[in-house]
Amino acid sequence: MSDFQVNILGCGSATPSPLRNTSAQVIDYRRRLMMIDCGEGAQSAMRRMGLQFSRLTHIFISHMHGDHCLGLPGLLSTLALHGKEGTITVVLPESGLRIMKEITDYFCREPQLEIIFQPVGGNGGIVADLPSMSVEAFPLYHRIETYGYIFREKPKQRHLKGDMVNFYNVPVAMRPLLKEGADFVTEDGRTIENRLLTTDPDPSRSYAYCSDTMFDERVAKAVNGVDLLYHEATYGHSLVSNAHERGHSTALEAARIASLANAGNLMIGHYSKRYTDVTPLVREAQTVFPKVIAAHDGLKIDLEKL
Amino acid sequence: MSDFQVNILGCGSATPSPLRNTSAQVIDYRRRLMMIDCGEGAQSAMRRMGLQFSRLTHIFISHMHGDHCLGLPGLLSTLALHGKEGTITVVLPESGLRIMKEITDYFCREPQLEIIFQPVGGNGGIVADLPSMSVEAFPLYHRIETYGYIFREKPKQRHLKGDMVNFYNVPVAMRPLLKEGADFVTEDGRTIENRLLTTDPDPSRSYAYCSDTMFDERVAKAVNGVDLLYHEATYGHSLVSNAHERGHSTALEAARIASLANAGNLMIGHYSKRYTDVTPLVREAQTVFPKVIAAHDGLKIDLEKL
């Protein structure tokens, strides 16, 4: 298994249906799990997908509509009852802080789990700075205060060329500096350029989550260059007026954002219940942007294999 | 299909598992649906069991632990989004009123559905008086304020004996009174006793829900004579000390209550996760009370066929 995976727990809109749960995803990054949105049933979907509660450290909530956050009280309650210790950080829009705190104060009283609420406001910004990854919030354009989230691996270390490192007798203590890109100065004062001693690091991957939102070019700017963009596509473009009225996007609009952002791949989801088969939405998006993945509940995507 | 059914949406304790949802049941009575408890996922289980949201009129909450009520905000939200009109009545312990109102004020804002909260306090009493059924709340003995609920069909009408009614020339306008038990007075002043003109009505059935509760003889008194008693059996009796410590009952204790109450049948549920197979709990209960049904998610019980 690779380092960076996205798990789709639910990709339906509005209310759960037999075909699709409401919104929830889990990023699996180097044994750490981070949830994005938490519709009702997210905790059951985690179990079905074999994602262990003990590894969950963060939950990022996009907005305070029930289909994106009503699974949170039950999940936190379960974490506490399962004896999870330490802290869990819940990042959520400022406007949802008061009610979510009240709910968890009431329902999640197990003392060994500390729930840290971290509100996001304004234009967002970095909301989690982890050892090898940063998470950034940015505004989306929905009916209420809503944020998207980008998960970016930090730059990785360069690879040492074993033969060259031996040839120049680089001391072991110096090698970590070479991996960071430093040149090497030999005992007799010669500078050996880093590029002779190392090869490029593995690429750093990035994933952006945009749901719920209307089509807005500022979103493309915010997610510029991500390897995988999840963008809601609640409707097909024949229903573009429904989309605009309700603060949602069409599959075509999702593809336009992916194209404007020079994204590597687009994943669509948050489908209206009217679409049992989403092939027409995928085809519509592909008229603008070729690399389209259709989200479905239970899907695991390996960012390193895209 | 008969008039009075109990549907088990979830019969697990504490947290949902792949085997069992948390507590929720639906009484299906003459096309009206009434829910008892509403753990997370209850709305999805309703769909799986083919129970239509539009028929739901009442929700009775036993107590404010998350595994008995955290599905409520999502369910009410779904009812509203599905365009359910009119009112839905939520009966719940007084102590839960404030938080539940806050949650629904925040998440369920569709104006066409009116949510009526009806608090129960003290010793309970009649909480719903419907055309052919009454619902009564009574105290249970758990760690927090908790109520059980009894659903009792009201006495039914007597059946007319067609030949006798014709023989005595009972006018059509009089016949409803005979069904209620009135005697008939002929034109020449003779009184014909009702029992000559009618046969006994169909029996009125009753169902009692007791979860969560410790063993307490007052519960047996409250549910005396019910046709079907649902009583929690979180543990087997070898773990009786766990049961007492956490305000729960063992299968043996559930059977004792059924026996003391002269119940027609006992259904056990609210099993601890340690029991994947509940046969030992059923056998334990049967040492005291013979007619034991093991609840499982998806079970439908027809009260008229017990």
Side-chain angles (χ1 to χ4, degrees):
Chain A
M1 199 170 77
S2 80
D3 274 352
F4 193 170
Q5 292 187 308
V6 179
N7 296 269
I8 307 298
L9 306 188
C11 65
S13 66
T15 64
S17 77
L19 188 60
R20 296 178 198 120
N21 281 319
T22 47
S23 292
Q25 302 189 359
V26 168
I27 304 295
D28 188 343
Y29 185 68
R30 298 193 177 174
R31 309 300 297 159
R32 174 198 293 277
L33 300 183
M34 291 173 283
M35 186 177 274
I36 321 170
D37 280 341
C38 188
E40 183 177 342
Q43 60 168 313
S44 298
M46 270 189 83
R47 280 189 205 258
R48 276 197 300 276
M49 292 191 77
L51 300 163
Q52 295 156 286
F53 294 138
S54 58
R55 293 168 51 207
L56 191 64
T57 61
H58 289 73
I59 302 171
F60 301 92
I61 300 294
S62 65
H63 66 298
M64 296 299 293
H65 281 155
D67 58 325
H68 291 252
C69 64
L70 278 179
L72 194 54
L75 172 63
L76 294 173
S77 199
T78 291
L79 292 178
L81 288 171
H82 278 251
K84 184 176 165 69
E85 294 179 3
T87 62
I88 184 141
T89 301
V90 179
V91 176
L92 79 179
E94 260 174 359
S95 52
L97 187 62
R98 194 192 56 79
I99 185 76
M100 247 340 144
K101 274 185 80 124
E102 283 207 56
I103 295 173
T104 52
D105 284 351
Y106 194 95
F107 289 106
C108 315
R109 292 176 186 169
E110 311 294 323
Q112 85 284 4
L113 177 67
E114 190 190 359
I115 302 166
I116 298 171
F117 285 102
Q118 185 182 322
V120 196
N123 288 318
I126 299 293
V127 287
D129 185 17
L130 307 171
S132 314
M133 175 171 273
S134 69
V135 187
E136 185 189 341
F138 58 96
L140 295 177
Y141 305 93
H142 190 43
R143 306 196 300 273
I144 60 170
E145 183 187 21
T146 305
Y147 292 93
Y149 294 98
I150 308 182
F151 297 75
R152 283 196 186 90
E153 277 188 296
K154 292 180 179 174
K156 296 177 184 174
Q157 294 194 315
R158 301 185 65 79
H159 298 288
L160 298 177
K161 292 180 187 169
D163 50 350
M164 297 300 279
V165 165
N166 288 337
F167 179 82
Y168 286 105
N169 267 321
V170 180
V172 172
M174 289 291 295
R175 295 180 187 179
L177 295 173
L178 265 55
K179 289 184 184 174
E180 301 295 333
D183 294 338
F184 173 61
V185 182
T186 60
E187 285 191 1
D188 54 4
R190 265 195 307 155
T191 293
I192 314 296
E193 279 181 54
N194 185 281
R195 67 178 175 81
L196 293 172
L197 299 163
T198 66
T199 56
D200 284 345
D202 295 332
S204 294
R205 317 278 174 173
S206 53
Y207 174 66
Y209 176 89
C210 303
S211 185
D212 298 350
T213 190
M214 280 192 288
F215 174 85
D216 192 298
E217 294 194 1
R218 288 170 289 182
V219 173
K221 205 169 268 181
V223 303
N224 185 53
V226 291
D227 294 296
L228 176 59
L229 168 66
Y230 177 84
H231 195 290
E232 72 129 291
T234 309
Y235 301 98
H237 209 67
S238 64
L239 295 175
V240 65
S241 61
N242 292 37
H244 289 185
E245 200 178 295
R246 296 172 196 177
H248 290 299
S249 304
T250 68
L252 196 73
E253 290 174 328
R256 280 185 189 147
I257 295 293
S259 171
L260 286 167
N262 288 307
N265 300 268
L266 168 67
M267 173 161 52
I268 56 171
H270 198 265
Y271 316 114
S272 155
K273 252 169 230 30
R274 75 196 72 210
Y275 304 107
T276 48
D277 173 16
V278 299
T279 314
L281 300 181
V282 172
R283 293 217 177 105
E284 177 179 301
Q286 283 173 329
T287 61
V288 170
F289 185 86
K291 296 175 81 174
V292 179
I293 298 163
H296 61 81
D297 289 17
L299 179 66
K300 273 180 197 280
I301 293 183
D302 194 329
L303 267 279
E304 295 176 16
K305 289 184 184 153
L306 282 180
Chain B
M1 199 172 73
S2 80
D3 274 351
F4 194 170
Q5 291 186 309
V6 179
N7 296 268
I8 307 298
L9 307 187
C11 65
S13 66
T15 64
S17 77
L19 188 60
R20 295 177 198 120
N21 282 319
T22 46
S23 293
Q25 302 189 359
V26 168
I27 304 294
D28 188 342
Y29 186 69
R30 297 193 179 175
R31 308 300 299 162
R32 173 199 295 276
L33 300 182
M34 291 173 283
M35 185 177 276
I36 320 171
D37 280 341
C38 187
E40 183 176 341
Q43 60 168 312
S44 299
M46 269 188 82
R47 280 191 206 257
R48 276 197 300 277
M49 292 191 76
L51 300 163
Q52 295 156 289
F53 293 137
S54 58
R55 294 168 51 206
L56 190 64
T57 61
H58 290 73
I59 302 171
F60 301 92
I61 300 293
S62 65
H63 67 298
M64 296 299 293
H65 280 153
D67 59 325
H68 291 252
C69 64
L70 278 178
L72 194 55
L75 172 63
L76 293 172
S77 200
T78 291
L79 291 178
L81 288 170
H82 277 252
K84 184 177 165 69
E85 295 180 2
T87 64
I88 183 142
T89 301
V90 179
V91 177
L92 81 178
E94 260 174 358
S95 53
L97 186 63
R98 192 192 57 79
I99 185 77
M100 244 347 139
K101 275 186 78 123
E102 282 207 55
I103 296 174
T104 50
D105 284 352
Y106 194 96
F107 289 106
C108 314
R109 293 177 184 167
E110 309 295 323
Q112 85 284 5
L113 177 67
E114 189 190 0
I115 302 167
I116 299 171
F117 286 101
Q118 184 183 323
V120 196
N123 288 317
I126 298 294
V127 288
D129 185 15
L130 308 170
S132 314
M133 174 171 275
S134 70
V135 187
E136 184 188 342
F138 58 96
L140 295 177
Y141 304 94
H142 190 43
R143 306 196 300 273
I144 60 170
E145 184 187 22
T146 304
Y147 292 93
Y149 293 98
I150 307 181
F151 297 76
R152 283 196 186 89
E153 277 188 295
K154 293 183 179 174
K156 297 178 183 172
Q157 294 193 316
R158 303 184 63 81
H159 299 288
L160 298 178
K161 293 180 186 169
D163 51 350
M164 296 300 278
V165 165
N166 288 337
F167 179 84
Y168 286 106
N169 267 320
V170 181
V172 171
M174 287 292 295
R175 294 179 188 183
L177 296 175
L178 266 53
K179 289 185 184 175
E180 301 294 334
D183 294 337
F184 173 62
V185 181
T186 59
E187 285 195 358
D188 54 4
R190 265 193 310 153
T191 294
I192 314 297
E193 281 182 51
N194 186 283
R195 67 181 173 79
L196 293 173
L197 298 164
T198 67
T199 57
D200 284 345
D202 294 333
S204 294
R205 317 277 175 172
S206 54
Y207 174 67
Y209 176 90
C210 302
S211 185
D212 298 353
T213 191
M214 282 192 286
F215 174 83
D216 194 299
E217 294 193 1
R218 287 169 291 182
V219 173
K221 205 170 267 180
V223 302
N224 185 53
V226 291
D227 293 298
L228 176 61
L229 167 66
Y230 176 84
H231 194 290
E232 72 131 291
T234 309
Y235 300 100
H237 209 67
S238 64
L239 296 175
V240 66
S241 61
N242 293 36
H244 290 185
E245 200 180 293
R246 297 174 195 175
H248 290 300
S249 304
T250 67
L252 195 73
E253 289 174 329
R256 281 185 189 146
I257 295 293
S259 171
L260 285 167
N262 288 308
N265 301 266
L266 167 66
M267 173 160 52
I268 57 171
H270 198 265
Y271 315 114
S272 156
K273 254 168 227 32
R274 76 196 70 209
Y275 305 106
T276 47
D277 172 17
V278 298
T279 315
L281 300 180
V282 172
R283 292 216 179 106
E284 177 180 302
Q286 283 174 330
T287 62
V288 172
F289 185 86
K291 297 177 80 174
V292 179
I293 298 165
H296 62 82
D297 288 17
L299 178 66
K300 272 181 197 278
I301 293 182
D302 193 327
L303 268 278
E304 294 176 17
K305 289 185 183 154
L306 283 179

Tab-separated table of all heavy atoms in Angstrom, chain B residues 116-139:
chain	number	residue	atom	x	y	z
B	116	ILE	N	-43.078	18.953	16.404
B	116	ILE	CA	-43.652	19.245	17.722
B	116	ILE	C	-42.912	18.413	18.756
B	116	ILE	O	-42.950	17.183	18.702
B	116	ILE	CB	-45.154	18.891	17.753
B	116	ILE	CG1	-45.892	19.722	16.710
B	116	ILE	CG2	-45.736	19.083	19.150
B	116	ILE	CD1	-47.327	19.297	16.509
B	117	PHE	N	-42.221	19.090	19.664
B	117	PHE	CA	-41.546	18.372	20.741
B	117	PHE	C	-42.480	18.275	21.934
B	117	PHE	O	-43.061	19.277	22.360
B	117	PHE	CB	-40.264	19.088	21.151
B	117	PHE	CG	-39.164	18.913	20.154
B	117	PHE	CD1	-38.851	19.917	19.250
B	117	PHE	CD2	-38.455	17.723	20.103
B	117	PHE	CE1	-37.836	19.743	18.324
B	117	PHE	CE2	-37.440	17.538	19.178
B	117	PHE	CZ	-37.128	18.555	18.285
B	118	GLN	N	-42.622	17.063	22.446
B	118	GLN	CA	-43.526	16.829	23.570
B	118	GLN	C	-42.726	16.159	24.683
B	118	GLN	O	-42.406	14.981	24.591
B	118	GLN	CB	-44.654	15.922	23.061
B	118	GLN	CG	-45.735	15.662	24.063
B	118	GLN	CD	-46.773	14.698	23.479
B	118	GLN	OE1	-47.100	14.747	22.291
B	118	GLN	NE2	-47.292	13.823	24.316
B	119	PRO	N	-42.367	16.925	25.709
B	119	PRO	CA	-41.526	16.344	26.754
B	119	PRO	C	-42.302	15.414	27.689
B	119	PRO	O	-43.483	15.623	27.940
B	119	PRO	CB	-41.021	17.572	27.514
B	119	PRO	CG	-42.025	18.634	27.256
B	119	PRO	CD	-42.651	18.356	25.920
B	120	VAL	N	-41.632	14.376	28.174
B	120	VAL	CA	-42.188	13.488	29.205
B	120	VAL	C	-41.378	13.716	30.469
B	120	VAL	O	-40.152	13.821	30.398
B	120	VAL	CB	-41.955	11.999	28.884
B	120	VAL	CG1	-42.870	11.132	29.745
B	120	VAL	CG2	-42.103	11.704	27.436
B	121	GLY	N	-42.031	13.752	31.602
B	121	GLY	CA	-41.313	13.907	32.861
B	121	GLY	C	-41.977	13.066	33.933
B	121	GLY	O	-42.981	12.389	33.673
B	122	GLY	N	-41.410	13.104	35.125
B	122	GLY	CA	-42.006	12.435	36.280
B	122	GLY	C	-42.276	10.968	36.031
B	122	GLY	O	-41.404	10.234	35.593
B	123	ASN	N	-43.521	10.553	36.288
B	123	ASN	CA	-43.868	9.145	36.114
B	123	ASN	C	-44.426	8.826	34.747
B	123	ASN	O	-44.999	7.768	34.530
B	123	ASN	CB	-44.862	8.718	37.193
B	123	ASN	CG	-44.163	8.614	38.536
B	123	ASN	OD1	-43.049	8.094	38.620
B	123	ASN	ND2	-44.814	9.122	39.583
B	124	GLY	N	-44.299	9.752	33.814
B	124	GLY	CA	-44.783	9.488	32.462
B	124	GLY	C	-46.274	9.673	32.361
B	124	GLY	O	-46.837	10.624	32.914
B	125	GLY	N	-46.955	8.750	31.704
B	125	GLY	CA	-48.403	8.847	31.494
B	125	GLY	C	-48.686	8.698	30.008
B	125	GLY	O	-47.798	8.377	29.221
B	126	ILE	N	-49.962	8.948	29.643
B	126	ILE	CA	-50.342	8.810	28.225
B	126	ILE	C	-49.652	9.918	27.425
B	126	ILE	O	-49.822	11.096	27.721
B	126	ILE	CB	-51.866	8.898	28.055
B	126	ILE	CG1	-52.574	7.760	28.813
B	126	ILE	CG2	-52.246	8.868	26.570
B	126	ILE	CD1	-52.320	6.363	28.303
B	127	VAL	N	-48.891	9.551	26.406
B	127	VAL	CA	-48.187	10.548	25.600
B	127	VAL	C	-48.766	10.659	24.196
B	127	VAL	O	-48.462	11.607	23.471
B	127	VAL	CB	-46.670	10.252	25.524
B	127	VAL	CG1	-46.001	10.552	26.865
B	127	VAL	CG2	-46.391	8.812	25.091
B	128	ALA	N	-49.589	9.687	23.808
B	128	ALA	CA	-50.276	9.797	22.511
B	128	ALA	C	-51.604	9.076	22.619
B	128	ALA	O	-51.657	7.915	23.042
B	128	ALA	CB	-49.436	9.192	21.392
B	129	ASP	N	-52.672	9.787	22.253
B	129	ASP	CA	-54.005	9.200	22.305
B	129	ASP	C	-54.549	9.227	20.876
B	129	ASP	O	-55.055	10.245	20.419
B	129	ASP	CB	-54.883	10.020	23.256
B	129	ASP	CG	-56.249	9.380	23.435
B	129	ASP	OD1	-56.407	8.191	23.074
B	129	ASP	OD2	-57.164	10.086	23.908
B	130	LEU	N	-54.375	8.119	20.172
B	130	LEU	CA	-54.695	8.041	18.747
B	130	LEU	C	-56.047	7.364	18.575
B	130	LEU	O	-56.569	6.773	19.529
B	130	LEU	CB	-53.593	7.258	18.034
B	130	LEU	CG	-52.173	7.791	18.328
B	130	LEU	CD1	-51.116	6.845	17.791
B	130	LEU	CD2	-52.022	9.191	17.740
B	131	PRO	N	-56.633	7.425	17.394
B	131	PRO	CA	-57.969	6.865	17.221
B	131	PRO	C	-58.135	5.433	17.759
B	131	PRO	O	-59.106	5.142	18.430
B	131	PRO	CB	-58.177	6.931	15.708
B	131	PRO	CG	-57.355	8.110	15.279
B	131	PRO	CD	-56.150	8.102	16.178
B	132	SER	N	-57.183	4.548	17.512
B	132	SER	CA	-57.381	3.159	17.956
B	132	SER	C	-56.280	2.660	18.867
B	132	SER	O	-56.186	1.468	19.137
B	132	SER	CB	-57.442	2.227	16.744
B	132	SER	OG	-58.287	2.763	15.763
B	133	MET	N	-55.430	3.563	19.302
B	133	MET	CA	-54.287	3.138	20.096
B	133	MET	C	-53.899	4.237	21.068
B	133	MET	O	-54.026	5.422	20.751
B	133	MET	CB	-53.116	2.853	19.154
B	133	MET	CG	-51.828	2.534	19.874
B	133	MET	SD	-50.542	1.963	18.743
B	133	MET	CE	-50.922	0.225	18.646
B	134	SER	N	-53.392	3.812	22.219
B	134	SER	CA	-52.812	4.798	23.114
B	134	SER	C	-51.365	4.403	23.388
B	134	SER	O	-51.012	3.231	23.324
B	134	SER	CB	-53.589	4.859	24.432
B	134	SER	OG	-53.362	3.668	25.158
B	135	VAL	N	-50.558	5.421	23.636
B	135	VAL	CA	-49.151	5.164	23.954
B	135	VAL	C	-48.871	5.782	25.315
B	135	VAL	O	-49.184	6.948	25.560
B	135	VAL	CB	-48.214	5.774	22.894
B	135	VAL	CG1	-46.766	5.349	23.170
B	135	VAL	CG2	-48.633	5.374	21.485
B	136	GLU	N	-48.292	4.967	26.191
B	136	GLU	CA	-48.048	5.392	27.566
B	136	GLU	C	-46.556	5.325	27.862
B	136	GLU	O	-45.891	4.356	27.494
B	136	GLU	CB	-48.797	4.435	28.511
B	136	GLU	CG	-48.716	4.822	29.964
B	136	GLU	CD	-49.301	3.735	30.878
B	136	GLU	OE1	-50.060	2.876	30.389
B	136	GLU	OE2	-48.949	3.737	32.063
B	137	ALA	N	-46.049	6.360	28.494
B	137	ALA	CA	-44.650	6.351	28.936
B	137	ALA	C	-44.598	5.952	30.399
B	137	ALA	O	-45.498	6.278	31.163
B	137	ALA	CB	-44.040	7.731	28.759
B	138	PHE	N	-43.533	5.235	30.778
B	138	PHE	CA	-43.346	4.874	32.193
B	138	PHE	C	-41.845	4.851	32.475
B	138	PHE	O	-41.042	4.629	31.578
B	138	PHE	CB	-43.995	3.512	32.504
B	138	PHE	CG	-43.465	2.397	31.649
B	138	PHE	CD1	-42.448	1.569	32.119
B	138	PHE	CD2	-43.955	2.182	30.368
B	138	PHE	CE1	-41.933	0.544	31.328
B	138	PHE	CE2	-43.444	1.170	29.564
B	138	PHE	CZ	-42.441	0.352	30.036
B	139	PRO	N	-41.457	5.096	33.732
B	139	PRO	CA	-40.023	5.219	34.027
B	139	PRO	C	-39.274	3.900	33.895
B	139	PRO	O	-39.786	2.847	34.274
B	139	PRO	CB	-39.999	5.671	35.496
B	139	PRO	CG	-41.382	6.129	35.803
B	139	PRO	CD	-42.295	5.359	34.913
